[in-house]
Amino acid sequence: MNAPVEKPKKPAMSLEKAAKARRKFLQSVGLTGGVVGLSLLGYIPVLGASAHRLRPPGALNEADFLSSCIKCGQCVQVCPVEAIKLGDMIDGFGVGVPHIDPRQQACDFSCDAVQCILACPTGSLTYKKPPFLNIREGALLAAAPILKAKENDPEPTLNLKERIGVARLARPSACLAVQGKGFKGQARGAGFPGKMRYMDVDRWKPIPIAEHPYDLPLCDLCVRECPVKGAIELRPFKSADGTSRMQPVVLEPCVGCGVCEMVCPAEPAAIVVDAQATWHGEVALAPAPAVTPKEPS
Amino acid sequence: MSRFADLFMGMLGAAPKKPEVVSERVQTIMFRKYEDKDRYIKEKMHARDHHLVSHKWRNRRWAVLLAVNLLFVFSFWLDIQILEGALTASRFVGFHLIDLNSALQVMLAHKHIIVNLFIGTFTVFLIWVLLGGRTFCSWVCPYHLLAEWAEALHLKLVEKKLVTDHEFHRGTRTVFWLLFALLAIVTGYTVFETLSPTGILSRALIYGPGLALGWVGLLLVFEIVYSRRAWCRYVCPIGLTYGAVGSLSPLRVSFHVEHCFHEGDCRKVCLVPHVLDVTVKGRASEESMSLGPDCTRCGLCVDVCPTGALRYEVKGLSQLL
C-alpha cells in the first residue's frame, strides 16, 4: 500500500507571535471578567435593604421598576416641585433610576395629573399596570385619590391606582399633637428649601414652605397639608396619664406621597412614609409607638 | 464571502483579509504607480508640501456633539423643552427618541414593550439607518469627546515612551455585547447601564454630577495609561448595536485607491483602524470602496489625508458633501 501523501503544512506561528497572541487573549479574558465583575457589583445595594427607596407615583414593583427604567430622567424634568432625584453609583443597578426623598421634598401633586407617569417612555411609571405584572396585596387603592386641591373641580380625582408607600406615626412621643402642643413659625425652619403648593396662595405655583408660616393652637400640619382627601386625620385618645390627647391616624386613602413627613416640625419627623409599604389596616390608637408591618420585598 | 459580510465580520472582531480578486482597473492603477515610480514619488512630495493640516470635519463634529448635548442641558436648565430627557431616552419637541442599546437592554430585562418605547426606538432606528455606521459614537456620545482627548494624551505619553499601548482582541466587544444581553435576560436588570459612561455622563451634564463620574474618570485613566481607547474599541456594546443598524446606510466614508499613497496617516488617527485596512497597499479590490460598518464617520481620516483619497459620500449621490 502506498503511504498516505503528506499535505504541506502551514508554517507554524513563530513562538514570539504565538506568545503575543496568547497574551492578548488572556488580557482580553481579563478585561471581560473585570468589567462584567464590576457591573455585577450593582447587585449589592439592590439585594441589601438600603434599596428601599420611595419611587415616584405609578412606579411598578421594585424589581420590575429597576428592569424597565431607562434612566432618562424625563420624570425629573416635569416635576413642578423637583421632588424626583436620580440614583447614583451607590444604588447599583438603581443608578440613574428616580426616587423621592420625602423628608427633603415630597410629592405634593401640584402638577394635578401625575405628569411623571405621563413623561415616562418605558412604562416604569404607569397609570395602568399590564396584567402580567402583579399588584401586591395592599398596594391597590380602594378608590382613585381625591386631591383636596381639586375638590371643587369637575374631575377631583388623581389617575393613580396604587400607593407608593404608607405613612406611619413612627415616633409618637415626638409628635406635637400627641404632646398636646401647638406650632408657631415655619414648619421646617427658615432655611428649608422644600416647596409646596398652597391653594390659598397660588393654585399653580408651589412656594417654599419657609414662606408660609403657621400659628396653630394644636399642631395638625400633617393632616392640614396632606394633599389627599381622607388619608389622615387627628383622633382623640387617652394618654398614659389619663388626659385626652389627639394623634394623627393614617387611613386607607394614603398614597405615600410623603408631604406629612416633609412638613412635620419634629426633628427627626414624628411621621414617616414607609417606601413601598402596603396597606394592612388602620394602626390602633395607642400612645405607645405603633408599628405597621412592613411589606416583605 | 461577500465584501459586506467580510466588513461585518471585521466589525465583530475578525482580522481584515487580503482580497481574493482585484479588479482590472485597480491592477492597472497599481501597476502604473509602480511603473512610473519617479512621477508617483514626485506627486507624493508635492501633495505633502501643499497639504494644509485641516480640522474641518473634527471641528464640525465637535460642534455638533456639543450642540446636541447642550440642547439636552438647556432644555432642562432653561426649561426651553426642545430636547427633554437624556441620551438613553428623550423627547424632541414631543417625539419620542430612545437609544437603541438602552431600549434593547430594557426590553431584554423587562421582557415587555409599551407603545411609546417602540415608537421611540423605531424613530432612532430610522435616524441611524440613514446616517449610518457608528455616527452616534463620534457625533453625539459625550464620552467619545473625553475619550478622544484622553487618546491624544495617551499618544503623547506613548511618544515619550512613558506608557505603552496594550491591545485587546477586538472580538471582546462582541463578547461583551452578548454577555450584557444575556445578563439583562438572566438577571432582569439593565446591567450594562450601571457602567455605561455614555448614560452616566449624559445624566451628569443634565441633572448634575455624582459619584458615578468617578467610574468615568477611572475609565479615562485606564485609557490614558494602559490601553488606547479601550472602552470604545473593546467594550461598549452601544457602538456595536449602532454599527449593525447603520451597516446598510447610504452615507459613508469612501476610499479612492487612485489617489492614495499608502502612507497610513489615516490609520494612525483612526479609532477603528481595521476599517481602513483597504488603504494598505494591495488590500483594495475596487477603485472606489466604502469603509466598513464599524466606521464612526468621525472624519479624522478625511481631514488627515493629504490627497483626498478618503471622502464622505452618499451612495448614489457622490460628491454631495
Side-chain angles (χ1 to χ4, degrees):
Chain A
M1 296 297 275
N2 288 338
V5 184
E6 269 200 27
K7 278 187 181 172
K9 267 189 187 167
K10 253 191 174 178
M13 209 187 267
S14 76
L15 286 177
E16 202 183 327
K17 223 174 170 184
K20 210 176 155 191
R22 190 166 157 268
R23 204 160 49 233
K24 196 165 161 180
F25 174 75
L26 288 176
Q27 279 177 346
S28 302
V29 171
L31 180 77
T32 314
V35 172
V36 168
L38 277 173
S39 72
L40 289 178
L41 289 181
Y43 257 123
I44 296 173
V46 167
L47 295 179
S50 65
H52 266 288
R53 295 264 209 189
L54 187 66
R55 300 302 182 187
L60 303 181
N61 295 340
E62 184 69 2
D64 296 314
F65 187 65
L66 285 177
S67 69
S68 60
C69 175
I70 202 160
K71 304 161 171 61
C72 66
Q74 290 187 65
C75 50
V76 176
Q77 305 207 354
V78 295
C79 180
V81 290
E82 291 154 46
I84 304 177
K85 303 283 176 229
L86 297 182
D88 202 345
M89 218 61 174
I90 51 161
D91 293 87
F93 295 142
V95 63
V97 174
H99 63 88
I100 292 172
D101 177 1
R103 185 64 175 156
Q104 294 310 310
Q105 177 62 63
C107 164
D108 72 339
F109 301 109
S110 51
C111 60
D112 268 4
V114 272
Q115 290 191 11
C116 42
I117 299 181
L118 196 64
C120 180
T122 60
S124 277
L125 306 175
T126 184
Y127 292 118
K128 194 173 184 299
K129 253 190 198 176
F132 74 94
L133 296 174
N134 70 313
I135 292 171
R136 291 170 304 150
E137 200 189 334
L140 201 68
L141 290 155
I146 296 173
L147 270 194
K148 283 191 209 161
K150 296 206 293 175
E151 221 178 331
N152 299 321
D153 291 7
E155 180 50 64
T157 60
L158 203 57
N159 188 0
L160 191 64
K161 307 277 187 299
E162 288 180 46
R163 63 188 95 239
I164 53 175
V166 179
R168 170 171 60 94
L169 187 61
R171 300 175 191 87
S173 55
C175 175
L176 294 179
V178 169
Q179 294 170 24
K181 289 179 183 167
F183 180 76
K184 194 169 159 50
Q186 288 123 322
R188 297 289 306 281
F192 183 69
K195 285 189 282 187
M196 213 158 64
R197 164 175 58 178
Y198 294 92
M199 288 298 285
D200 49 333
V201 179
D202 190 327
R203 168 84 159 80
W204 299 111
K205 206 172 166 286
I207 58 163
I209 296 173
E211 287 175 19
H212 198 274
Y214 300 87
D215 187 1
L216 309 168
L218 180 69
C219 178
D220 64 347
L221 278 178
C222 51
V223 176
R224 175 183 297 259
E225 298 306 349
C226 174
V228 176
K229 195 182 175 185
I232 185 170
E233 63 180 26
L234 277 191
R235 276 196 205 159
F237 76 101
K238 277 263 183 287
S239 75
D241 59 8
T243 54
S244 183
R245 294 277 170 81
M246 300 294 264
Q247 79 167 359
V249 176
V250 178
L251 304 172
E252 194 278 334
C254 173
V255 299
C257 69
V259 168
C260 51
E261 184 176 338
M262 176 170 68
V263 296
C264 182
E267 201 64 60
I271 190 164
V272 296
V273 164
D274 290 329
Q276 300 175 31
T278 50
W279 181 252
H280 291 282
E282 236 172 71
V283 176
L285 298 179
V291 180
T292 312
K294 249 191 164 181
E295 176 68 18
S297 57
Chain B
M1 262 203 288
S2 71
R3 171 163 162 79
F4 178 80
D6 275 340
L7 292 176
F8 204 87
M9 291 311 289
M11 178 168 71
L12 297 183
K17 278 188 281 188
K18 272 188 184 163
E20 281 158 19
V21 191
V22 175
S23 78
E24 242 169 69
R25 180 81 184 122
V26 174
Q27 285 179 23
T28 320
I29 291 170
M30 298 312 279
F31 187 68
R32 215 173 51 217
K33 280 185 185 175
Y34 180 77
E35 279 288 274
D36 208 353
K37 230 178 203 164
D38 288 346
R39 195 182 64 113
Y40 175 65
I41 290 169
K42 244 186 221 164
E43 262 180 31
K44 191 153 103 175
M45 302 309 280
H46 184 81
R48 279 232 164 267
D49 289 345
H50 291 269
H51 179 224
L52 294 170
V53 179
S54 157
H55 293 300
K56 184 171 96 178
W57 285 103
R58 186 201 71 184
N59 293 346
R60 286 180 184 182
R61 183 166 52 82
W62 284 4
V64 170
L65 192 149
L66 289 172
V68 172
N69 284 285
L70 287 178
L71 196 55
F72 272 110
V73 172
F74 291 138
S75 290
F76 182 42
W77 285 11
L78 308 177
D79 206 23
I80 52 175
Q81 300 180 6
I82 296 172
L83 191 55
E84 292 166 287
L87 273 181
T88 49
S90 57
R91 227 173 283 202
F92 180 67
V93 289
F95 285 99
H96 281 286
L97 298 174
I98 295 176
D99 169 65
L100 297 184
N101 202 73
S102 305
L104 186 79
Q105 289 279 315
V106 163
M107 289 171 191
L108 293 177
H110 188 44
K111 300 160 187 84
H112 181 64
I113 304 166
I114 68 160
V115 177
N116 284 342
L117 179 61
F118 181 79
I119 293 173
T121 309
F122 188 70
T123 321
V124 172
F125 179 85
L126 272 189
I127 293 174
W128 299 120
V129 162
L130 290 177
L131 292 176
R134 289 167 54 194
T135 314
F136 170 84
C137 296
S138 64
W139 290 76
V140 178
C141 177
Y143 183 74
H144 185 279
L145 189 59
L146 296 187
E148 209 173 331
W149 295 336
E151 187 179 12
L153 191 56
H154 171 84
L155 291 177
K156 261 196 194 125
L157 295 179
V158 169
E159 203 184 326
K160 288 186 180 159
K161 297 213 159 70
L162 289 171
V163 302
T164 45
D165 179 29
H166 297 77
E167 278 188 38
F168 297 96
H169 194 284
R170 284 191 305 101
T172 316
R173 194 180 48 159
T174 310
V175 174
F176 270 120
W177 196 97
L178 293 169
L179 275 177
F180 281 123
L182 199 69
L183 279 173
I185 296 173
V186 173
T187 66
Y189 295 108
T190 53
V191 178
F192 170 67
E193 298 297 331
T194 320
L195 295 184
S196 168
T198 308
I200 289 172
L201 270 173
S202 181
R203 282 191 299 272
L205 282 170
I206 301 160
Y207 306 110
L211 294 172
L213 283 182
W215 165 243
V216 179
L218 280 179
L219 279 180
L220 290 170
V221 169
F222 183 78
E223 295 188 356
I224 291 168
V225 303
Y226 192 79
S227 178
R228 183 180 180 186
R229 265 304 175 96
W231 184 265
C232 303
R233 283 186 180 185
Y234 311 116
V235 183
C236 188
I238 303 175
L240 191 53
T241 304
Y242 279 116
V245 167
S247 58
L248 287 169
S249 158
L251 175 69
R252 49 192 59 178
V253 172
S254 64
F255 168 68
H256 302 263
V257 67
E258 191 167 6
H259 305 276
C260 181
F261 292 136
H262 311 288
E263 295 199 290
D265 287 0
C266 51
R267 295 194 296 279
K268 283 182 202 141
V269 295
C270 184
L271 154 68
V272 278
H274 58 279
V275 304
L276 285 167
D277 186 67
V278 281
T279 65
V280 176
K281 205 180 235 172
R283 291 295 174 97
S285 59
E286 301 291 333
E287 190 185 1
S288 150
M289 300 179 83
S290 54
L291 306 186
D294 215 12
C295 169
T296 70
R297 274 75 162 152
C298 73
L300 285 176
C301 62
V302 179
D303 273 345
V304 83
C305 179
T307 58
L310 289 155
R311 302 167 206 160
Y312 279 104
E313 253 174 23
V314 177
K315 209 179 181 186
L317 295 169
S318 56
Q319 301 307 312
L320 183 82
L321 285 162

